[in-house]
Each structure stands twice: as structure tokens, then as C-alpha cells.
Short mmCIF file of all heavy atoms in Angstrom, two decimals:
data_model
loop_
_atom_site.label_atom_id
_atom_site.label_comp_id
_atom_site.label_asym_id
_atom_site.label_seq_id
_atom_site.Cartn_x
_atom_site.Cartn_y
_atom_site.Cartn_z
N MET A 1 -0.84 13.35 -3.38
CA MET A 1 -0.93 12.39 -2.26
C MET A 1 -1.11 10.98 -2.84
O MET A 1 -1.97 10.75 -3.67
CB MET A 1 -2.13 12.75 -1.38
CG MET A 1 -2.09 12.12 -0.01
SD MET A 1 -3.48 12.63 1.00
CE MET A 1 -3.04 14.32 1.40
N PRO A 2 -0.29 10.07 -2.45
CA PRO A 2 -0.35 8.72 -3.04
C PRO A 2 -1.53 7.90 -2.51
O PRO A 2 -2.00 8.11 -1.40
CB PRO A 2 0.98 8.09 -2.60
CG PRO A 2 1.35 8.82 -1.36
CD PRO A 2 0.80 10.21 -1.50
N ILE A 3 -1.95 6.98 -3.34
CA ILE A 3 -2.99 6.04 -2.93
C ILE A 3 -2.32 4.76 -2.46
O ILE A 3 -1.47 4.21 -3.14
CB ILE A 3 -3.95 5.73 -4.10
CG1 ILE A 3 -4.71 6.98 -4.50
CG2 ILE A 3 -4.91 4.61 -3.71
CD1 ILE A 3 -5.59 6.78 -5.71
N TYR A 4 -2.71 4.32 -1.29
CA TYR A 4 -2.16 3.09 -0.74
C TYR A 4 -3.25 2.03 -0.71
O TYR A 4 -4.41 2.32 -0.44
CB TYR A 4 -1.62 3.33 0.67
CG TYR A 4 -0.45 4.28 0.69
CD1 TYR A 4 -0.63 5.62 1.02
CD2 TYR A 4 0.82 3.84 0.35
CE1 TYR A 4 0.44 6.49 1.03
CE2 TYR A 4 1.90 4.72 0.36
CZ TYR A 4 1.70 6.04 0.70
OH TYR A 4 2.76 6.90 0.70
N GLU A 5 -2.86 0.81 -1.00
CA GLU A 5 -3.79 -0.30 -0.97
C GLU A 5 -3.55 -1.14 0.27
O GLU A 5 -2.40 -1.44 0.59
CB GLU A 5 -3.63 -1.16 -2.22
CG GLU A 5 -4.71 -2.21 -2.36
CD GLU A 5 -4.63 -2.92 -3.70
OE1 GLU A 5 -3.51 -3.06 -4.24
OE2 GLU A 5 -5.66 -3.33 -4.21
N TYR A 6 -4.62 -1.47 0.92
CA TYR A 6 -4.52 -2.25 2.14
C TYR A 6 -5.34 -3.53 2.00
O TYR A 6 -6.29 -3.60 1.23
CB TYR A 6 -5.05 -1.45 3.35
CG TYR A 6 -4.25 -0.20 3.63
CD1 TYR A 6 -4.49 0.97 2.91
CD2 TYR A 6 -3.27 -0.20 4.60
CE1 TYR A 6 -3.74 2.11 3.15
CE2 TYR A 6 -2.53 0.95 4.85
CZ TYR A 6 -2.76 2.09 4.12
OH TYR A 6 -2.03 3.22 4.36
N VAL A 7 -4.96 -4.52 2.77
CA VAL A 7 -5.69 -5.78 2.80
C VAL A 7 -6.07 -6.07 4.25
O VAL A 7 -5.24 -6.00 5.15
CB VAL A 7 -4.84 -6.95 2.25
CG1 VAL A 7 -5.63 -8.24 2.29
CG2 VAL A 7 -4.36 -6.64 0.84
N CYS A 8 -7.35 -6.36 4.43
CA CYS A 8 -7.82 -6.70 5.77
C CYS A 8 -7.48 -8.16 6.06
O CYS A 8 -7.78 -9.05 5.27
CB CYS A 8 -9.33 -6.48 5.86
SG CYS A 8 -10.00 -6.97 7.45
N GLU A 9 -6.88 -8.39 7.19
CA GLU A 9 -6.51 -9.76 7.55
C GLU A 9 -7.69 -10.49 8.17
O GLU A 9 -7.66 -11.70 8.33
CB GLU A 9 -5.34 -9.73 8.53
CG GLU A 9 -4.09 -9.15 7.89
CD GLU A 9 -2.95 -8.99 8.90
OE1 GLU A 9 -3.11 -9.43 10.04
OE2 GLU A 9 -1.93 -8.42 8.52
N ASN A 10 -8.71 -9.78 8.51
CA ASN A 10 -9.87 -10.39 9.15
C ASN A 10 -10.87 -10.91 8.11
O ASN A 10 -11.35 -12.03 8.20
CB ASN A 10 -10.55 -9.36 10.06
CG ASN A 10 -11.65 -9.99 10.89
OD1 ASN A 10 -11.47 -11.07 11.44
ND2 ASN A 10 -12.77 -9.32 10.99
N CYS A 11 -11.16 -10.09 7.08
CA CYS A 11 -12.15 -10.49 6.08
C CYS A 11 -11.57 -10.54 4.68
O CYS A 11 -12.28 -10.81 3.72
CB CYS A 11 -13.37 -9.56 6.13
SG CYS A 11 -13.03 -7.88 5.54
N ALA A 12 -10.28 -10.27 4.53
CA ALA A 12 -9.56 -10.36 3.26
C ALA A 12 -10.01 -9.32 2.24
O ALA A 12 -9.71 -9.42 1.06
CB ALA A 12 -9.67 -11.76 2.65
N LYS A 13 -10.70 -8.30 2.69
CA LYS A 13 -11.13 -7.23 1.80
C LYS A 13 -9.95 -6.33 1.43
O LYS A 13 -9.16 -5.97 2.29
CB LYS A 13 -12.22 -6.41 2.50
CG LYS A 13 -12.60 -5.13 1.81
CD LYS A 13 -13.40 -5.38 0.55
CE LYS A 13 -13.83 -4.04 -0.06
NZ LYS A 13 -14.60 -4.27 -1.32
N LYS A 14 -9.87 -6.01 0.15
CA LYS A 14 -8.88 -5.03 -0.29
C LYS A 14 -9.52 -3.66 -0.39
O LYS A 14 -10.64 -3.54 -0.89
CB LYS A 14 -8.31 -5.40 -1.66
CG LYS A 14 -7.24 -6.47 -1.62
CD LYS A 14 -6.63 -6.63 -3.00
CE LYS A 14 -5.48 -7.62 -2.99
NZ LYS A 14 -4.87 -7.75 -4.33
N PHE A 15 -8.83 -2.66 0.07
CA PHE A 15 -9.37 -1.32 -0.03
C PHE A 15 -8.23 -0.34 -0.21
O PHE A 15 -7.08 -0.64 0.10
CB PHE A 15 -10.23 -0.96 1.19
CG PHE A 15 -9.51 -1.06 2.52
CD1 PHE A 15 -9.01 0.09 3.13
CD2 PHE A 15 -9.34 -2.28 3.14
CE1 PHE A 15 -8.34 0.01 4.35
CE2 PHE A 15 -8.67 -2.37 4.37
CZ PHE A 15 -8.19 -1.22 4.97
N GLU A 16 -8.58 0.82 -0.76
CA GLU A 16 -7.56 1.83 -1.03
C GLU A 16 -7.83 3.07 -0.21
O GLU A 16 -8.97 3.44 0.03
CB GLU A 16 -7.58 2.19 -2.52
CG GLU A 16 -7.15 1.04 -3.41
CD GLU A 16 -7.24 1.41 -4.88
OE1 GLU A 16 -7.91 2.40 -5.20
OE2 GLU A 16 -6.64 0.69 -5.69
N LEU A 17 -6.75 3.68 0.20
CA LEU A 17 -6.87 4.91 0.96
C LEU A 17 -5.92 5.95 0.40
O LEU A 17 -4.79 5.63 0.04
CB LEU A 17 -6.53 4.68 2.44
CG LEU A 17 -7.56 3.96 3.29
CD1 LEU A 17 -7.00 3.79 4.70
CD2 LEU A 17 -8.87 4.71 3.33
N LEU A 18 -6.41 7.16 0.32
CA LEU A 18 -5.57 8.29 -0.06
C LEU A 18 -4.99 8.86 1.22
O LEU A 18 -5.70 9.42 2.03
CB LEU A 18 -6.44 9.32 -0.78
CG LEU A 18 -5.74 10.34 -1.68
CD1 LEU A 18 -5.04 9.64 -2.84
CD2 LEU A 18 -6.77 11.31 -2.24
N ARG A 19 -3.70 8.66 1.38
CA ARG A 19 -3.10 9.09 2.64
C ARG A 19 -1.84 9.88 2.37
O ARG A 19 -1.18 9.70 1.35
CB ARG A 19 -2.73 7.88 3.50
CG ARG A 19 -3.84 6.88 3.66
CD ARG A 19 -3.46 5.84 4.68
NE ARG A 19 -4.02 6.16 5.98
CZ ARG A 19 -3.83 5.44 7.06
NH1 ARG A 19 -3.05 4.39 7.01
NH2 ARG A 19 -4.38 5.78 8.20
N SER A 20 -1.51 10.68 3.30
CA SER A 20 -0.26 11.40 3.17
C SER A 20 0.90 10.43 3.40
O SER A 20 0.74 9.36 3.98
CB SER A 20 -0.19 12.56 4.17
OG SER A 20 -0.12 12.07 5.48
N PHE A 21 2.04 10.84 2.92
CA PHE A 21 3.23 9.98 3.00
C PHE A 21 3.50 9.52 4.42
O PHE A 21 3.83 8.37 4.66
CB PHE A 21 4.41 10.78 2.45
CG PHE A 21 5.66 9.98 2.30
CD1 PHE A 21 5.81 9.09 1.24
CD2 PHE A 21 6.69 10.14 3.20
CE1 PHE A 21 6.97 8.35 1.10
CE2 PHE A 21 7.86 9.41 3.07
CZ PHE A 21 7.99 8.51 2.02
N SER A 22 3.33 10.40 5.36
CA SER A 22 3.68 10.09 6.74
C SER A 22 2.68 9.16 7.40
O SER A 22 2.96 8.56 8.43
CB SER A 22 3.80 11.38 7.55
OG SER A 22 2.57 12.08 7.54
N GLU A 23 1.49 9.03 6.78
CA GLU A 23 0.47 8.18 7.39
C GLU A 23 0.41 6.79 6.77
O GLU A 23 -0.41 5.96 7.15
CB GLU A 23 -0.91 8.84 7.23
CG GLU A 23 -1.08 10.08 8.07
CD GLU A 23 -2.47 10.68 7.89
OE1 GLU A 23 -2.94 10.75 6.74
OE2 GLU A 23 -3.07 11.08 8.88
N ALA A 24 1.26 6.56 5.77
CA ALA A 24 1.16 5.33 4.98
C ALA A 24 1.26 4.06 5.82
O ALA A 24 0.61 3.07 5.54
CB ALA A 24 2.23 5.32 3.90
N ASP A 25 2.07 4.10 6.85
CA ASP A 25 2.30 2.89 7.62
C ASP A 25 1.46 2.83 8.90
O ASP A 25 1.60 1.91 9.69
CB ASP A 25 3.78 2.77 7.98
CG ASP A 25 4.60 2.34 6.77
OD1 ASP A 25 4.10 1.50 6.01
OD2 ASP A 25 5.72 2.84 6.61
N LYS A 26 0.59 3.80 9.06
CA LYS A 26 -0.30 3.74 10.21
C LYS A 26 -1.41 2.72 9.96
O LYS A 26 -1.75 2.42 8.82
CB LYS A 26 -0.91 5.11 10.47
CG LYS A 26 0.10 6.13 10.99
CD LYS A 26 -0.59 7.43 11.34
CE LYS A 26 0.41 8.44 11.88
NZ LYS A 26 -0.21 9.74 12.16
N ALA A 27 -1.96 2.23 11.01
CA ALA A 27 -3.03 1.25 10.89
C ALA A 27 -4.24 1.87 10.20
O ALA A 27 -4.61 3.01 10.45
CB ALA A 27 -3.42 0.73 12.27
N ALA A 28 -4.83 1.09 9.30
CA ALA A 28 -6.02 1.54 8.59
C ALA A 28 -7.18 0.63 8.96
O ALA A 28 -7.04 -0.59 8.90
CB ALA A 28 -5.77 1.51 7.09
N ASP A 29 -8.28 1.20 9.34
CA ASP A 29 -9.43 0.38 9.69
C ASP A 29 -10.13 -0.14 8.43
O ASP A 29 -10.33 0.59 7.47
CB ASP A 29 -10.43 1.20 10.51
CG ASP A 29 -9.94 1.44 11.93
OD1 ASP A 29 -8.96 0.77 12.33
OD2 ASP A 29 -10.53 2.28 12.62
N CYS A 30 -10.48 -1.41 8.46
CA CYS A 30 -11.20 -2.01 7.35
C CYS A 30 -12.58 -1.36 7.21
O CYS A 30 -13.30 -1.23 8.20
CB CYS A 30 -11.35 -3.51 7.59
SG CYS A 30 -12.38 -4.33 6.37
N PRO A 31 -12.97 -0.96 5.99
CA PRO A 31 -14.28 -0.32 5.81
C PRO A 31 -15.43 -1.30 5.90
O PRO A 31 -16.59 -0.90 6.02
CB PRO A 31 -14.18 0.28 4.40
CG PRO A 31 -13.17 -0.57 3.70
CD PRO A 31 -12.19 -1.00 4.76
N VAL A 32 -15.14 -2.58 5.85
CA VAL A 32 -16.19 -3.60 5.87
C VAL A 32 -16.45 -4.08 7.30
O VAL A 32 -17.56 -4.03 7.80
CB VAL A 32 -15.82 -4.79 4.97
CG1 VAL A 32 -16.88 -5.88 5.05
CG2 VAL A 32 -15.66 -4.31 3.53
N CYS A 33 -15.40 -4.55 7.95
CA CYS A 33 -15.59 -5.13 9.28
C CYS A 33 -14.99 -4.26 10.38
O CYS A 33 -15.07 -4.60 11.54
CB CYS A 33 -14.99 -6.53 9.32
SG CYS A 33 -13.18 -6.56 9.20
N HIS A 34 -14.36 -3.14 9.98
CA HIS A 34 -13.80 -2.18 10.92
C HIS A 34 -12.69 -2.76 11.77
O HIS A 34 -12.38 -2.24 12.84
CB HIS A 34 -14.89 -1.57 11.79
CG HIS A 34 -15.98 -0.93 10.99
ND1 HIS A 34 -15.80 0.24 10.28
CD2 HIS A 34 -17.25 -1.33 10.73
CE1 HIS A 34 -16.93 0.53 9.65
NE2 HIS A 34 -17.81 -0.40 9.90
N SER A 35 -12.12 -3.83 11.29
CA SER A 35 -10.97 -4.40 11.99
C SER A 35 -9.74 -3.54 11.75
O SER A 35 -9.56 -2.96 10.67
CB SER A 35 -10.72 -5.82 11.49
OG SER A 35 -9.47 -6.29 11.97
N ALA A 36 -8.91 -3.45 12.74
CA ALA A 36 -7.64 -2.75 12.56
C ALA A 36 -6.55 -3.70 12.12
O ALA A 36 -5.40 -3.31 11.99
CB ALA A 36 -7.25 -2.05 13.86
N GLN A 37 -6.91 -4.96 11.93
CA GLN A 37 -5.92 -5.96 11.51
C GLN A 37 -5.74 -5.90 10.00
O GLN A 37 -6.19 -6.76 9.26
CB GLN A 37 -6.39 -7.36 11.94
CG GLN A 37 -6.52 -7.52 13.45
CD GLN A 37 -5.20 -7.34 14.17
OE1 GLN A 37 -4.20 -7.94 13.80
NE2 GLN A 37 -5.20 -6.51 15.20
N THR A 38 -5.11 -4.85 9.55
CA THR A 38 -4.88 -4.68 8.13
C THR A 38 -3.39 -4.47 7.87
O THR A 38 -2.65 -4.05 8.77
CB THR A 38 -5.64 -3.45 7.59
OG1 THR A 38 -5.20 -2.29 8.27
CG2 THR A 38 -7.15 -3.63 7.79
N HIS A 39 -3.00 -4.76 6.65
CA HIS A 39 -1.62 -4.44 6.28
C HIS A 39 -1.61 -3.83 4.90
O HIS A 39 -2.51 -4.05 4.10
CB HIS A 39 -0.72 -5.67 6.36
CG HIS A 39 -1.10 -6.76 5.39
ND1 HIS A 39 -1.95 -7.78 5.72
CD2 HIS A 39 -0.74 -6.95 4.10
CE1 HIS A 39 -2.09 -8.58 4.66
NE2 HIS A 39 -1.38 -8.10 3.65
N ARG A 40 -0.61 -3.09 4.61
CA ARG A 40 -0.54 -2.37 3.35
C ARG A 40 -0.05 -3.29 2.25
O ARG A 40 0.93 -4.00 2.39
CB ARG A 40 0.39 -1.16 3.48
CG ARG A 40 0.32 -0.23 2.31
CD ARG A 40 0.79 1.16 2.70
NE ARG A 40 2.10 1.13 3.34
CZ ARG A 40 3.25 1.19 2.67
NH1 ARG A 40 3.24 1.28 1.37
NH2 ARG A 40 4.38 1.18 3.30
N ALA A 41 -0.78 -3.29 1.14
CA ALA A 41 -0.36 -4.08 -0.01
C ALA A 41 0.49 -3.20 -0.93
O ALA A 41 0.35 -1.99 -0.93
CB ALA A 41 -1.58 -4.58 -0.76
N VAL A 42 1.36 -3.82 -1.68
CA VAL A 42 2.18 -3.07 -2.61
C VAL A 42 1.85 -3.50 -4.03
O VAL A 42 2.23 -4.55 -4.48
CB VAL A 42 3.68 -3.26 -2.33
CG1 VAL A 42 4.09 -2.44 -1.13
CG2 VAL A 42 4.02 -4.71 -2.09
N SER A 43 1.09 -2.68 -4.71
CA SER A 43 0.74 -3.01 -6.09
C SER A 43 0.80 -1.80 -7.00
O SER A 43 1.17 -1.92 -8.15
CB SER A 43 -0.67 -3.62 -6.14
OG SER A 43 -1.60 -2.68 -5.66
N LYS A 44 0.47 -0.64 -6.48
CA LYS A 44 0.49 0.57 -7.30
C LYS A 44 1.88 0.84 -7.84
O LYS A 44 2.07 1.39 -8.89
CB LYS A 44 0.03 1.77 -6.46
CG LYS A 44 -1.39 1.67 -5.99
CD LYS A 44 -2.35 1.58 -7.14
CE LYS A 44 -3.76 1.37 -6.64
NZ LYS A 44 -4.66 0.95 -7.72
N CYS A 45 2.82 0.45 -7.06
CA CYS A 45 4.21 0.66 -7.37
C CYS A 45 4.61 0.14 -8.75
O CYS A 45 5.27 0.80 -9.52
CB CYS A 45 5.01 -0.08 -6.32
SG CYS A 45 6.65 0.54 -6.12
N PHE A 46 4.17 -1.05 -9.07
CA PHE A 46 4.68 -1.74 -10.24
C PHE A 46 4.22 -1.09 -11.53
O PHE A 46 4.95 -1.07 -12.51
CB PHE A 46 4.25 -3.21 -10.19
CG PHE A 46 4.79 -3.93 -8.99
CD1 PHE A 46 3.99 -4.18 -7.91
CD2 PHE A 46 6.12 -4.31 -8.95
CE1 PHE A 46 4.49 -4.82 -6.80
CE2 PHE A 46 6.63 -4.95 -7.84
CZ PHE A 46 5.81 -5.21 -6.76
N SER A 47 3.03 -0.56 -11.57
CA SER A 47 2.53 0.00 -12.81
C SER A 47 3.11 1.39 -13.09
O SER A 47 2.97 1.90 -14.18
CB SER A 47 1.01 0.10 -12.75
OG SER A 47 0.62 0.92 -11.68
N LYS A 48 3.76 1.96 -12.14
CA LYS A 48 4.28 3.30 -12.31
C LYS A 48 5.79 3.33 -12.49
O LYS A 48 6.39 4.36 -12.51
CB LYS A 48 3.91 4.17 -11.09
CG LYS A 48 2.44 4.55 -11.06
CD LYS A 48 2.18 5.52 -9.92
CE LYS A 48 0.73 5.98 -9.92
NZ LYS A 48 0.46 6.91 -8.83
N SER A 49 6.41 2.18 -12.60
CA SER A 49 7.86 2.14 -12.62
C SER A 49 8.41 2.19 -14.04
O SER A 49 9.05 1.27 -14.50
CB SER A 49 8.36 0.91 -11.88
OG SER A 49 7.81 -0.25 -12.47
N ASP A 50 8.10 3.21 -14.74
CA ASP A 50 8.58 3.55 -16.08
C ASP A 50 8.89 2.36 -17.00
O ASP A 50 9.92 2.31 -17.65
CB ASP A 50 9.76 4.54 -16.03
CG ASP A 50 11.02 4.01 -15.31
OD1 ASP A 50 11.35 2.85 -15.48
OD2 ASP A 50 11.62 4.79 -14.58
N GLY A 51 7.98 1.42 -17.03
CA GLY A 51 8.08 0.34 -18.01
C GLY A 51 9.01 -0.79 -17.66
O GLY A 51 9.05 -1.79 -18.36
N MET A 52 9.71 -0.65 -16.58
CA MET A 52 10.63 -1.73 -16.23
C MET A 52 9.91 -2.78 -15.40
O MET A 52 9.07 -2.48 -14.57
CB MET A 52 11.81 -1.17 -15.42
CG MET A 52 12.75 -0.34 -16.26
SD MET A 52 14.16 0.23 -15.30
CE MET A 52 14.96 -1.32 -14.92
N THR A 53 10.24 -4.00 -15.66
CA THR A 53 9.65 -5.09 -14.89
C THR A 53 10.42 -5.27 -13.58
O THR A 53 11.64 -5.40 -13.59
CB THR A 53 9.69 -6.40 -15.68
OG1 THR A 53 9.00 -6.22 -16.90
CG2 THR A 53 9.04 -7.53 -14.88
N VAL A 54 9.67 -5.28 -12.52
CA VAL A 54 10.31 -5.47 -11.23
C VAL A 54 10.18 -6.94 -10.84
O VAL A 54 9.09 -7.46 -10.71
CB VAL A 54 9.64 -4.59 -10.15
CG1 VAL A 54 10.32 -4.81 -8.81
CG2 VAL A 54 9.74 -3.12 -10.55
N SER A 55 11.29 -7.59 -10.71
CA SER A 55 11.25 -9.02 -10.45
C SER A 55 11.98 -9.42 -9.18
O SER A 55 12.24 -10.58 -8.94
CB SER A 55 11.85 -9.78 -11.64
OG SER A 55 13.17 -9.34 -11.87
N SER A 56 12.32 -8.45 -8.39
CA SER A 56 13.07 -8.78 -7.19
C SER A 56 12.21 -9.52 -6.18
O SER A 56 12.70 -10.30 -5.39
CB SER A 56 13.63 -7.50 -6.55
OG SER A 56 12.58 -6.72 -6.04
N GLY A 57 10.92 -9.27 -6.20
CA GLY A 57 10.04 -9.94 -5.26
C GLY A 57 10.14 -9.43 -3.85
O GLY A 57 9.57 -9.98 -2.94
N SER A 58 10.84 -8.33 -3.68
CA SER A 58 11.01 -7.82 -2.34
C SER A 58 9.82 -6.98 -1.90
O SER A 58 9.71 -6.62 -0.76
CB SER A 58 12.29 -6.98 -2.27
OG SER A 58 12.17 -5.84 -3.09
N GLY A 59 8.95 -6.66 -2.83
CA GLY A 59 7.79 -5.85 -2.48
C GLY A 59 7.98 -4.38 -2.80
O GLY A 59 7.05 -3.62 -2.70
N GLY A 60 9.15 -4.00 -3.20
CA GLY A 60 9.39 -2.60 -3.53
C GLY A 60 9.65 -2.43 -5.01
O GLY A 60 9.87 -3.40 -5.73
N CYS A 61 9.58 -1.23 -5.50
CA CYS A 61 9.89 -0.97 -6.89
C CYS A 61 11.36 -0.58 -7.02
O CYS A 61 12.07 -0.44 -6.03
CB CYS A 61 8.98 0.12 -7.46
SG CYS A 61 9.31 1.75 -6.80
N HIS A 62 11.79 -0.38 -8.26
CA HIS A 62 13.23 -0.19 -8.47
C HIS A 62 13.73 1.12 -7.90
O HIS A 62 14.92 1.31 -7.72
CB HIS A 62 13.57 -0.28 -9.95
CG HIS A 62 12.99 0.84 -10.77
ND1 HIS A 62 13.68 1.98 -11.08
CD2 HIS A 62 11.77 0.99 -11.32
CE1 HIS A 62 12.92 2.77 -11.80
NE2 HIS A 62 11.74 2.20 -11.95
N SER A 63 12.81 2.06 -7.60
CA SER A 63 13.25 3.32 -7.03
C SER A 63 13.13 3.35 -5.52
O SER A 63 13.41 4.36 -4.89
CB SER A 63 12.47 4.48 -7.65
OG SER A 63 11.09 4.32 -7.41
N CYS A 64 12.67 2.26 -4.95
CA CYS A 64 12.57 2.20 -3.50
C CYS A 64 13.94 1.93 -2.90
O CYS A 64 14.62 0.97 -3.26
CB CYS A 64 11.63 1.08 -3.07
SG CYS A 64 9.94 1.37 -3.57
N ALA A 65 14.32 2.74 -1.98
CA ALA A 65 15.63 2.56 -1.38
C ALA A 65 15.65 1.38 -0.43
O ALA A 65 16.62 0.64 -0.37
CB ALA A 65 16.04 3.83 -0.64
N GLY A 66 14.57 1.17 0.28
CA GLY A 66 14.60 0.15 1.31
C GLY A 66 13.77 -1.08 1.02
O GLY A 66 13.38 -1.80 1.90
N GLY A 67 13.44 -1.30 -0.26
CA GLY A 67 12.68 -2.49 -0.61
C GLY A 67 11.20 -2.36 -0.33
O GLY A 67 10.45 -3.31 -0.40
N SER A 68 10.77 -1.15 -0.03
CA SER A 68 9.35 -0.94 0.22
C SER A 68 8.94 0.38 -0.42
O SER A 68 9.68 1.35 -0.38
CB SER A 68 9.08 -0.87 1.71
OG SER A 68 7.78 -0.35 1.95
N CYS A 69 7.76 0.40 -1.02
CA CYS A 69 7.30 1.62 -1.67
C CYS A 69 6.97 2.71 -0.67
O CYS A 69 6.70 3.84 -1.06
CB CYS A 69 6.09 1.31 -2.53
SG CYS A 69 6.51 0.23 -3.90
N ALA A 70 7.01 2.42 0.58
CA ALA A 70 6.78 3.45 1.57
C ALA A 70 7.87 4.51 1.51
O ALA A 70 7.67 5.65 1.89
CB ALA A 70 6.75 2.85 2.97
N SER A 71 9.02 4.12 1.00
CA SER A 71 10.13 5.04 0.99
C SER A 71 10.22 5.87 -0.28
O SER A 71 10.97 6.81 -0.35
CB SER A 71 11.44 4.29 1.20
OG SER A 71 11.62 3.31 0.22
N CYS A 72 9.45 5.47 -1.32
CA CYS A 72 9.55 6.23 -2.57
C CYS A 72 8.26 6.95 -2.91
O CYS A 72 8.21 7.76 -3.81
CB CYS A 72 9.96 5.32 -3.72
SG CYS A 72 8.69 4.18 -4.27
N GLY A 73 7.18 6.67 -2.20
CA GLY A 73 5.94 7.39 -2.45
C GLY A 73 5.14 6.90 -3.63
O GLY A 73 4.13 7.46 -3.98
N HIS A 74 5.58 5.84 -4.27
CA HIS A 74 4.83 5.26 -5.38
C HIS A 74 3.71 4.40 -4.84
O HIS A 74 2.91 3.90 -5.53
CB HIS A 74 5.73 4.40 -6.27
CG HIS A 74 6.73 5.22 -7.05
ND1 HIS A 74 7.71 4.66 -7.80
CD2 HIS A 74 6.87 6.54 -7.17
CE1 HIS A 74 8.45 5.60 -8.39
NE2 HIS A 74 7.96 6.77 -8.01
ZN1 ZN B 101 -12.24 -6.48 7.16
#
């Protein structure tokens, strides 16, 4: 099960959640202020992309089909 990183838009807290693939894009409540105003950050992706530098800036890794790691599970 992949770990997803989220950022709270209310208090700017970063937090990680272990979620199933299908839940990755669901709203995650902030553990600090319990706001639902959070969005998923993409960072885990880059360190797992077999040594290649990802410079597209699209937010996805090189194995992401749609420019987002939500589609590749990284
Ligand atoms: Zn928060």
C-alpha cells in the first residue's frame, strides 16, 4: 500500500497517510486542525524513479501515464 503525502491548506501542515490506491484522491483530514482543506503532495514519486531525474515539472514521475503519481502508485 503506497504512502501518500498531503498538505493542509489551512495550517500548511504536511502529513503522510497509508492509503489504498483507490483512496489516494479522497479528501484527507488534517491531523492538526482537522480541516478537510488538504491536497495531495507529490514527492515520494521522485525518489523511487530508478535513478532518473524527473524534470518535467508536471508533478508526475516518468512512469506516470497521466502526469500524476496517482496513476502509477508511486
Ligand atoms: Zn491543518
Side-chain angles (χ1 to χ4, degrees):
M1 198 178 287
I3 295 175
Y4 295 99
E5 189 172 31
Y6 297 82
V7 180
C8 177
E9 296 174 6
N10 188 44
C11 69
K13 170 72 177 179
K14 280 187 176 181
F15 58 100
E16 294 177 344
L17 285 178
L18 201 63
R19 310 189 97 182
S20 68
F21 188 76
S22 60
E23 290 181 317
D25 285 321
K26 290 185 179 177
D29 286 347
C30 174
V32 177
C33 68
H34 304 290
S35 169
Q37 298 298 311
T38 60
H39 63 268
R40 191 158 52 88
V42 283
S43 61
K44 297 300 175 195
C45 203
F46 299 102
S47 60
K48 287 186 176 179
S49 57
D50 62 40
M52 289 183 64
T53 302
V54 179
S55 57
S56 68
S58 65
C61 70
H62 67 95
S63 59
C64 294
S68 166
C69 294
S71 58
C72 72
H74 290 173

